[in-house]
Amino acid sequence: MAPPQGQMRPGRQLAVLGLIFVVLYLLVFFSGGASGGWKDRLEPRLGLDLVGGTRLTLEATNTVDGKPPTADNLEEARQIIESRVNAYGVAEAEVVTEGNRNIVISLPGQNRDLTDVGEAAELRFRKVLKATDGSGAAAAPAPVPSATPSGAASPTPSGSASPKASTSPKVSGSPSAGGQGGMAPASPSATPSAAAPSPSASAEPVPQSIEQQRKAVEQKVGAAAWAAASGLQAPADLTTDPSLADKLKPFGTLSPQEIAVLPVEMQFNVPTITCAQLDARPAASIKDEKQKAVACESGAKYLLDVAKVLGTDVKNASAQLDQTSSWVVSLNFTGSGQEKWTALTREAFNNEGQACDQTALGQDGKCRVAVVLDNEIVSSPEIQGVLTGDSQITGSFDNKAANALASQLRYGALPVTFEPQEQQNVTATLGDSHLKAGLLAAGIGMLLVIIYSFFYYRLLGSVIFLSLVLSALLVFGALVVLGRSIGFTLTLAGIAGMIVSLGVAADSFVIYFERLKDEIREGRSPRSAVPRAWIRARRTIISANAITLMSAVVLYIVSVGAVKGFAFALGLATVLDLVVVFLFRHPIMTMFARTRAFLSPRVSGLGRALPARSAEPGTARNPRVKEA
């Protein structure tokens, strides 16, 4: 016999709920990010206010042209700041954008000053003076093919910011008369000393603080290693002198911060100083445009001249298709910037081969100019002439690679400045205290709801208790899975959002149970009143939860920081409460309606709404009671 109209089979809904739990906790225990013992697999990702660490919020101000930063500006800045933060060597550091102006940096487990990472990115154009491969031997001069600029080799087509050392994009444009024919590549017989002036000839006074740090490094590596490194006049070839390799070995153990205080010539000449160490140096270590610098490109070390053209001299950079349908990057400079660029290309493209060392020549036998963003060489094109107008960087670019390079050049031309808004340092002890306090508050809130429900609704209070337990288990499992999949972190504000959701859940209980009492007062039997009360209460419950969910979504969209975590947690708990309402609360009430205890006013909690009944279910002493 089929169930009466308006009733349902509760077993089906409970089976669906059970399936959801099985799938969720299979993800908890066996998803890709799960590792360690079962206790580790059950740990959600906690925010800095619960585990300790540093959190810094940076607000982007206007660009140099007075306009608000665009989404592309902000994303480019986020990537650069992320590389700076990673230079600290901190595991699980997080750099994210919030809203249309803010970048939030989170370093778990460490307290340090992060305000320097928000400094505007520094773009520099530096002539390549010398080059050496990763083994310490001087790089051989690149071959000089007869390829035209549009067909020259280029950075990797994938758009990597670090092109291969063996390939060189070209810079061409509007050359002056003095930069045309008759200018050959540097003669192979040119000596290194003629190619580049001795670095010591233009040595700058060393600040006292740097000198003290150098002495500390000298003591760390030892007097013998320091003397051997100081005596190098060119990159050492360790294959010809094994004893020198042993002496210079201590430099390979230095941290990037210690490498940054070494003299530039030492960073370049010592082969045991690797590109991995150089790339991880703080960005400020080569920030001074008046100092020479060392940087790497695909494993090759370059000795770079002082920066004679800056990022702020670039007016615009864009990816374009030239007449041969090849992708190029077009460069436009400001008025003063064009003068500096023309002077730099004239210096690099001279007819005596004195501008750079033979090791620094590109594959067409011409000197190169490195475009350096912080510590990273994003391109090192050959200079094809003395450029007096708009210039182009040509090569085998695809659309993605050309736009990536143009974006980096534009960002240097239009730097976004940041103002630190809030830096929060939380010790591990304080974070543990926050976590305990938040869990205690959530536990007290749940306990008060349960006590009140048992006091007022009695047997129905068990439905409330079980519903809250199931909701808590669903929320906990979701937090673990979301932490692994999308990086969601539970913060103290998130715990507050879940506490607020307890009130939303309690409202839905009150709506349903009071509607159930109204149905019984109108003469319905408890068994028939349950489905009718559900039909009438369902719309109100959905509307109330929908309003809460909409509020959480709007709050999440317009807010930043901790408020965003509050909104996400509130919305998540509200959605899962709806799941429990439909798949547990209503089915379990249908099952309770068939028990004797449900018919007892004292036990069920329905109170005076339930008329006195005989022991036999289905009979009524009150003629007003009707069956559906």
PDB file of all heavy atoms in Angstrom, residues 34 58 60 79 84 101 105 147 159 172 192 205 268 389 415 429 458 478 515 574 582 618:
ATOM      1  N   ALA A  34      45.971  14.785   1.384  1.00  0.00           N
ATOM      2  CA  ALA A  34      46.039  14.127   2.677  1.00  0.00           C
ATOM      3  C   ALA A  34      47.397  13.472   2.867  1.00  0.00           C
ATOM      4  O   ALA A  34      47.907  12.807   1.986  1.00  0.00           O
ATOM      5  CB  ALA A  34      44.938  13.079   2.804  1.00  0.00           C
ATOM      6  N   LEU A  58      48.269  45.289   2.120  1.00  0.00           N
ATOM      7  CA  LEU A  58      48.790  46.420   1.358  1.00  0.00           C
ATOM      8  C   LEU A  58      47.684  46.978   0.475  1.00  0.00           C
ATOM      9  O   LEU A  58      46.981  46.220  -0.197  1.00  0.00           O
ATOM     10  CB  LEU A  58      49.961  45.985   0.478  1.00  0.00           C
ATOM     11  CG  LEU A  58      51.193  45.406   1.190  1.00  0.00           C
ATOM     12  CD1 LEU A  58      52.170  44.852   0.163  1.00  0.00           C
ATOM     13  CD2 LEU A  58      51.863  46.461   2.045  1.00  0.00           C
ATOM     14  N   ALA A  60      46.849  49.331  -2.742  1.00  0.00           N
ATOM     15  CA  ALA A  60      47.442  49.942  -3.924  1.00  0.00           C
ATOM     16  C   ALA A  60      46.911  51.353  -4.097  1.00  0.00           C
ATOM     17  O   ALA A  60      45.701  51.589  -4.037  1.00  0.00           O
ATOM     18  CB  ALA A  60      47.131  49.109  -5.160  1.00  0.00           C
ATOM     19  N   GLN A  79      52.205  38.881  -8.281  1.00  0.00           N
ATOM     20  CA  GLN A  79      53.201  37.886  -8.658  1.00  0.00           C
ATOM     21  C   GLN A  79      54.598  38.316  -8.232  1.00  0.00           C
ATOM     22  O   GLN A  79      55.396  37.502  -7.746  1.00  0.00           O
ATOM     23  CB  GLN A  79      53.149  37.656 -10.172  1.00  0.00           C
ATOM     24  CG  GLN A  79      51.852  37.031 -10.659  1.00  0.00           C
ATOM     25  CD  GLN A  79      51.801  36.882 -12.163  1.00  0.00           C
ATOM     26  OE1 GLN A  79      52.775  37.166 -12.866  1.00  0.00           O
ATOM     27  NE2 GLN A  79      50.660  36.454 -12.686  1.00  0.00           N
ATOM     28  N   ARG A  84      59.026  37.920  -3.999  1.00  0.00           N
ATOM     29  CA  ARG A  84      59.813  38.524  -2.925  1.00  0.00           C
ATOM     30  C   ARG A  84      59.586  37.799  -1.606  1.00  0.00           C
ATOM     31  O   ARG A  84      60.525  37.542  -0.851  1.00  0.00           O
ATOM     32  CB  ARG A  84      59.443  40.002  -2.771  1.00  0.00           C
ATOM     33  CG  ARG A  84      59.809  40.875  -3.956  1.00  0.00           C
ATOM     34  CD  ARG A  84      59.347  42.309  -3.736  1.00  0.00           C
ATOM     35  NE  ARG A  84      59.759  43.190  -4.821  1.00  0.00           N
ATOM     36  CZ  ARG A  84      59.486  44.482  -4.869  1.00  0.00           C
ATOM     37  NH1 ARG A  84      58.785  45.044  -3.896  1.00  0.00           N
ATOM     38  NH2 ARG A  84      59.908  45.219  -5.874  1.00  0.00           N
ATOM     39  N   ARG A 101      41.908  46.672  -4.801  1.00  0.00           N
ATOM     40  CA  ARG A 101      43.056  47.479  -4.405  1.00  0.00           C
ATOM     41  C   ARG A 101      44.002  46.783  -3.434  1.00  0.00           C
ATOM     42  O   ARG A 101      45.143  47.197  -3.297  1.00  0.00           O
ATOM     43  CB  ARG A 101      42.604  48.809  -3.766  1.00  0.00           C
ATOM     44  CG  ARG A 101      42.188  49.866  -4.766  1.00  0.00           C
ATOM     45  CD  ARG A 101      41.906  51.187  -4.078  1.00  0.00           C
ATOM     46  NE  ARG A 101      41.581  52.223  -5.033  1.00  0.00           N
ATOM     47  CZ  ARG A 101      42.460  53.032  -5.604  1.00  0.00           C
ATOM     48  NH1 ARG A 101      43.740  52.903  -5.302  1.00  0.00           N
ATOM     49  NH2 ARG A 101      42.085  53.957  -6.458  1.00  0.00           N
ATOM     50  N   ILE A 105      49.258  39.471   2.431  1.00  0.00           N
ATOM     51  CA  ILE A 105      50.403  38.562   2.543  1.00  0.00           C
ATOM     52  C   ILE A 105      50.309  37.841   3.883  1.00  0.00           C
ATOM     53  O   ILE A 105      50.156  38.483   4.926  1.00  0.00           O
ATOM     54  CB  ILE A 105      51.727  39.334   2.442  1.00  0.00           C
ATOM     55  CG1 ILE A 105      51.731  40.220   1.200  1.00  0.00           C
ATOM     56  CG2 ILE A 105      52.910  38.385   2.444  1.00  0.00           C
ATOM     57  CD1 ILE A 105      52.722  41.337   1.260  1.00  0.00           C
ATOM     58  N   ALA A 147      70.680  35.838 -39.754  1.00  0.00           N
ATOM     59  CA  ALA A 147      69.229  35.992 -39.642  1.00  0.00           C
ATOM     60  C   ALA A 147      68.859  37.451 -39.490  1.00  0.00           C
ATOM     61  O   ALA A 147      69.594  38.246 -38.911  1.00  0.00           O
ATOM     62  CB  ALA A 147      68.724  35.196 -38.451  1.00  0.00           C
ATOM     63  N   GLY A 159      56.450  31.759 -23.254  1.00  0.00           N
ATOM     64  CA  GLY A 159      56.243  33.012 -22.538  1.00  0.00           C
ATOM     65  C   GLY A 159      56.966  33.076 -21.229  1.00  0.00           C
ATOM     66  O   GLY A 159      56.664  33.890 -20.406  1.00  0.00           O
ATOM     67  N   SER A 172      65.265  46.294 -32.393  1.00  0.00           N
ATOM     68  CA  SER A 172      65.434  47.093 -33.592  1.00  0.00           C
ATOM     69  C   SER A 172      64.462  48.246 -33.514  1.00  0.00           C
ATOM     70  O   SER A 172      63.611  48.305 -32.644  1.00  0.00           O
ATOM     71  CB  SER A 172      65.183  46.255 -34.853  1.00  0.00           C
ATOM     72  OG  SER A 172      63.875  45.712 -34.815  1.00  0.00           O
ATOM     73  N   PRO A 192      89.299  40.777 -23.064  1.00  0.00           N
ATOM     74  CA  PRO A 192      88.300  41.120 -22.071  1.00  0.00           C
ATOM     75  C   PRO A 192      88.584  42.436 -21.395  1.00  0.00           C
ATOM     76  O   PRO A 192      87.686  43.163 -21.041  1.00  0.00           O
ATOM     77  CB  PRO A 192      88.359  39.928 -21.099  1.00  0.00           C
ATOM     78  CG  PRO A 192      88.880  38.791 -21.913  1.00  0.00           C
ATOM     79  CD  PRO A 192      89.800  39.404 -22.874  1.00  0.00           C
ATOM     80  N   PRO A 205      82.112  53.929  -2.643  1.00  0.00           N
ATOM     81  CA  PRO A 205      82.365  53.714  -1.221  1.00  0.00           C
ATOM     82  C   PRO A 205      81.341  52.742  -0.639  1.00  0.00           C
ATOM     83  O   PRO A 205      80.159  52.808  -0.957  1.00  0.00           O
ATOM     84  CB  PRO A 205      82.202  55.123  -0.630  1.00  0.00           C
ATOM     85  CG  PRO A 205      82.395  56.063  -1.779  1.00  0.00           C
ATOM     86  CD  PRO A 205      81.890  55.320  -2.980  1.00  0.00           C
ATOM     87  N   PHE A 268      80.149  37.522  -9.171  1.00  0.00           N
ATOM     88  CA  PHE A 268      80.250  37.068 -10.562  1.00  0.00           C
ATOM     89  C   PHE A 268      81.402  36.076 -10.758  1.00  0.00           C
ATOM     90  O   PHE A 268      81.263  35.063 -11.455  1.00  0.00           O
ATOM     91  CB  PHE A 268      80.453  38.281 -11.481  1.00  0.00           C
ATOM     92  CG  PHE A 268      80.587  37.933 -12.931  1.00  0.00           C
ATOM     93  CD1 PHE A 268      79.488  37.511 -13.661  1.00  0.00           C
ATOM     94  CD2 PHE A 268      81.817  38.017 -13.572  1.00  0.00           C
ATOM     95  CE1 PHE A 268      79.608  37.183 -15.010  1.00  0.00           C
ATOM     96  CE2 PHE A 268      81.947  37.695 -14.906  1.00  0.00           C
ATOM     97  CZ  PHE A 268      80.836  37.277 -15.630  1.00  0.00           C
ATOM     98  N   GLY A 389      64.056  56.296 -32.051  1.00  0.00           N
ATOM     99  CA  GLY A 389      62.596  56.381 -32.004  1.00  0.00           C
ATOM    100  C   GLY A 389      62.016  55.149 -31.346  1.00  0.00           C
ATOM    101  O   GLY A 389      62.652  54.521 -30.490  1.00  0.00           O
ATOM    102  N   PRO A 415      54.561  51.773 -12.275  1.00  0.00           N
ATOM    103  CA  PRO A 415      54.619  51.033 -11.007  1.00  0.00           C
ATOM    104  C   PRO A 415      53.440  51.382 -10.121  1.00  0.00           C
ATOM    105  O   PRO A 415      53.009  52.524 -10.049  1.00  0.00           O
ATOM    106  CB  PRO A 415      55.944  51.484 -10.390  1.00  0.00           C
ATOM    107  CG  PRO A 415      56.206  52.826 -11.005  1.00  0.00           C
ATOM    108  CD  PRO A 415      55.635  52.776 -12.379  1.00  0.00           C
ATOM    109  N   THR A 429      51.642  30.996  20.704  1.00  0.00           N
ATOM    110  CA  THR A 429      50.906  30.845  21.966  1.00  0.00           C
ATOM    111  C   THR A 429      49.586  31.586  21.914  1.00  0.00           C
ATOM    112  O   THR A 429      48.538  31.066  22.316  1.00  0.00           O
ATOM    113  CB  THR A 429      51.752  31.361  23.142  1.00  0.00           C
ATOM    114  OG1 THR A 429      52.988  30.648  23.169  1.00  0.00           O
ATOM    115  CG2 THR A 429      51.020  31.165  24.461  1.00  0.00           C
ATOM    116  N   ARG A 458      11.595  18.925  24.642  1.00  0.00           N
ATOM    117  CA  ARG A 458      11.749  17.580  25.203  1.00  0.00           C
ATOM    118  C   ARG A 458      12.177  16.565  24.142  1.00  0.00           C
ATOM    119  O   ARG A 458      13.307  16.633  23.667  1.00  0.00           O
ATOM    120  CB  ARG A 458      10.458  17.185  25.914  1.00  0.00           C
ATOM    121  CG  ARG A 458      10.140  18.173  27.040  1.00  0.00           C
ATOM    122  CD  ARG A 458       8.936  17.797  27.835  1.00  0.00           C
ATOM    123  NE  ARG A 458       8.614  18.876  28.772  1.00  0.00           N
ATOM    124  CZ  ARG A 458       7.595  18.859  29.615  1.00  0.00           C
ATOM    125  NH1 ARG A 458       6.786  17.805  29.657  1.00  0.00           N
ATOM    126  NH2 ARG A 458       7.382  19.877  30.418  1.00  0.00           N
ATOM    127  N   ALA A 478      33.812  19.616   5.410  1.00  0.00           N
ATOM    128  CA  ALA A 478      33.925  20.578   4.309  1.00  0.00           C
ATOM    129  C   ALA A 478      35.123  21.501   4.504  1.00  0.00           C
ATOM    130  O   ALA A 478      35.818  21.846   3.539  1.00  0.00           O
ATOM    131  CB  ALA A 478      32.635  21.393   4.196  1.00  0.00           C
ATOM    132  N   ARG A 515       4.894  25.397  13.825  1.00  0.00           N
ATOM    133  CA  ARG A 515       3.892  25.115  12.795  1.00  0.00           C
ATOM    134  C   ARG A 515       3.234  23.759  13.048  1.00  0.00           C
ATOM    135  O   ARG A 515       2.030  23.583  12.815  1.00  0.00           O
ATOM    136  CB  ARG A 515       4.581  25.114  11.423  1.00  0.00           C
ATOM    137  CG  ARG A 515       3.620  25.009  10.266  1.00  0.00           C
ATOM    138  CD  ARG A 515       2.706  26.217  10.190  1.00  0.00           C
ATOM    139  NE  ARG A 515       1.348  25.820   9.889  1.00  0.00           N
ATOM    140  CZ  ARG A 515       0.330  26.655   9.822  1.00  0.00           C
ATOM    141  NH1 ARG A 515       0.514  27.947  10.077  1.00  0.00           N
ATOM    142  NH2 ARG A 515      -0.880  26.229   9.539  1.00  0.00           N
ATOM    143  N   THR A 574      25.234  27.787   6.515  1.00  0.00           N
ATOM    144  CA  THR A 574      23.823  27.933   6.151  1.00  0.00           C
ATOM    145  C   THR A 574      23.422  26.918   5.086  1.00  0.00           C
ATOM    146  O   THR A 574      22.359  26.289   5.163  1.00  0.00           O
ATOM    147  CB  THR A 574      23.556  29.360   5.644  1.00  0.00           C
ATOM    148  OG1 THR A 574      23.902  30.305   6.671  1.00  0.00           O
ATOM    149  CG2 THR A 574      22.095  29.545   5.292  1.00  0.00           C
ATOM    150  N   PHE A 582      16.555  19.115   5.029  1.00  0.00           N
ATOM    151  CA  PHE A 582      15.803  18.336   4.051  1.00  0.00           C
ATOM    152  C   PHE A 582      16.085  16.838   4.141  1.00  0.00           C
ATOM    153  O   PHE A 582      15.194  16.031   3.896  1.00  0.00           O
ATOM    154  CB  PHE A 582      16.127  18.834   2.634  1.00  0.00           C
ATOM    155  CG  PHE A 582      15.349  20.060   2.243  1.00  0.00           C
ATOM    156  CD1 PHE A 582      15.794  21.324   2.589  1.00  0.00           C
ATOM    157  CD2 PHE A 582      14.168  19.944   1.538  1.00  0.00           C
ATOM    158  CE1 PHE A 582      15.084  22.450   2.234  1.00  0.00           C
ATOM    159  CE2 PHE A 582      13.443  21.077   1.178  1.00  0.00           C
ATOM    160  CZ  PHE A 582      13.892  22.332   1.529  1.00  0.00           C
ATOM    161  N   GLY A 618      -3.962   6.228  17.049  1.00  0.00           N
ATOM    162  CA  GLY A 618      -4.949   6.368  15.980  1.00  0.00           C
ATOM    163  C   GLY A 618      -6.341   6.619  16.485  1.00  0.00           C
ATOM    164  O   GLY A 618      -7.226   6.967  15.725  1.00  0.00           O
TER     165      GLY A 618
END
